[in-house]
Amino acid sequence: MTNNTWSENILFVLVGTTHPGNIGAAARAMKTMGVTQLHLVAPLHYPSAEATARASGADDVLAKSVVHADLASALVGCDQVYAMSARLRHLQVPVRDPREAVADITPRVHENKPVAIVFGREHSGLSNAELDHCHQLIHIPANPDYSSLNLAAAVQVMAYELKMEFDSAIDPGRIGEIRQSVTSDDLEYLYTHLEQTMITIGFMDPDKPRKLMRRLRHLFNRADLDQNELQILRGILSAAEKHHGNDEGGEKT
Ligand code: SAH
């Protein structure tokens, strides 16, 4: 699955969110990971300027979000429903960590079956009646003495795990400049130029070269130079030669 088609089958459902800022922060967390389907169940204050402000550029996710009166209506058509829970409860439903849950989610999404991931209220999480709609629990392993993440942080962790499963490749075009490798011929030209320049500027005595060139070859062979770096070095050598008034032949290659 490429681009964002995978995300169309993954609904993030926020239940009874109290602070609109958290809705905005959740939308932002989703968008950074390419997760797009936001559903809100009876949010306390929504729409809200604070939600838009905290979404900070993810307002398209907010604009597309769907508001429902209750959880059941948000889950219509879903193949499997996962509840995000900060507490481990004594319920007869399987509990998985996000990565295990993603392994369970993946085949369903590939079969084009929508799944819902349900997040609870900031203070009280999900009610038992709401949990009754959920088939599995997802718990983010955390400090047992302090296991409750901020709502948007929990959204971020889950969205990241999904992103890693469906679309983890780092686009090489975004890494920056592509390094162009040098050939061994290029390096030989550099070494000839270097030797010539060192003689010109009096750094190396051609009658007593010692092991200088061998050492410098080892140094530059280790350095994994790219074309750009090679040109810089050759530019320095040419400038040094010019400075010594020995530039008649131009650059020696
Ligand atoms: N005090 C609430 C926690 C609310 S945090 C409680 O004890 O239930 C808001 C929501 O973020 C939770 O309902 C849950 O959906 C999600 N969340 C926070 N920490 C989590 C964790 N460690 N694992 C899974 N979900 C978590």
Side-chain angles (χ1 to χ4, degrees):
M1 264 186 195
T2 54
N3 302 326
N4 275 4
T5 50
W6 56 272
S7 79
E8 276 158 31
N9 285 316
I10 302 174
L11 284 61
F12 272 39
V13 182
L14 309 188
V15 178
T17 311
T18 315
H19 300 293
N22 282 335
I23 298 177
R28 180 178 183 176
M30 288 168 64
K31 184 167 177 176
T32 55
M33 300 294 120
V35 177
T36 51
Q37 311 297 313
L38 175 59
H39 290 253
L40 304 171
V41 175
L44 209 56
H45 306 288
Y46 192 79
S48 136
E50 202 187 336
T52 312
R54 289 285 301 280
S56 169
D59 26 3
D60 53 330
V61 174
L62 283 186
K64 256 184 50 174
S65 69
V66 186
V67 179
H68 305 266
D70 53 39
L71 180 58
S73 12
L75 301 178
V76 171
C78 286
D79 177 60
Q80 192 78 356
V81 179
Y82 303 82
M84 295 293 294
S85 179
R87 284 171 282 160
L88 289 172
R89 309 171 192 237
H90 300 285
L91 294 172
Q92 297 303 318
V93 284
V95 183
R96 304 180 196 270
D97 69 36
R99 210 161 286 176
E100 292 165 346
V102 168
D104 188 78
I105 290 169
T106 304
R108 301 175 199 274
V109 168
H110 282 301
E111 286 165 29
N112 231 358
K113 294 177 176 165
V115 301
I117 301 169
V118 183
F119 296 81
R121 297 164 187 80
E122 292 90 332
H123 294 297
S124 52
L126 294 163
S127 70
N128 285 337
E130 286 158 351
L131 284 168
D132 289 343
H133 289 281
C134 304
H135 308 120
Q136 304 188 31
L137 287 185
I138 304 175
H139 177 74
I140 300 166
N143 179 350
D145 300 326
Y146 192 67
S147 65
S148 176
L149 280 74
N150 164 271
L151 175 60
V155 167
Q156 186 79 71
V157 170
M158 200 55 214
Y160 173 73
E161 289 296 334
L162 289 162
K163 170 85 177 150
M164 288 304 286
E165 169 65 26
F166 289 102
D167 185 16
S168 65
I170 294 174
D171 176 0
R174 301 198 59 204
I175 294 173
E177 190 184 342
I178 308 276
R179 298 181 77 224
Q180 277 183 340
S181 54
V182 295
T183 64
S184 57
D185 282 357
D186 294 330
L187 286 174
E188 287 308 317
Y189 290 136
L190 172 70
Y191 298 145
T192 310
H193 195 174
L194 184 59
E195 189 169 4
Q196 186 57 55
T197 307
M198 289 193 302
I199 293 168
T200 304
I201 65 175
F203 188 78
M204 185 174 113
D205 179 352
D207 298 327
K208 280 188 260 160
R210 289 172 297 154
K211 290 184 180 156
L212 191 55
M213 267 326 289
R214 176 171 295 155
R215 289 188 174 216
L216 288 170
R217 275 174 175 269
H218 287 177
L219 167 65
F220 288 115
N221 286 348
R222 264 199 327 267
D224 184 28
L225 295 177
D226 65 23
Q227 279 293 350
N228 221 336
E229 293 157 345
L230 186 107
Q231 292 313 321
I232 292 169
L233 288 173
R234 297 203 59 193
I236 294 170
L237 296 176
S238 296
E241 286 181 310
K242 198 169 177 181
H243 193 67
H244 265 256
N246 188 15
D247 192 37
E248 307 93 67
E251 208 179 70
K252 296 175 178 61
T253 53

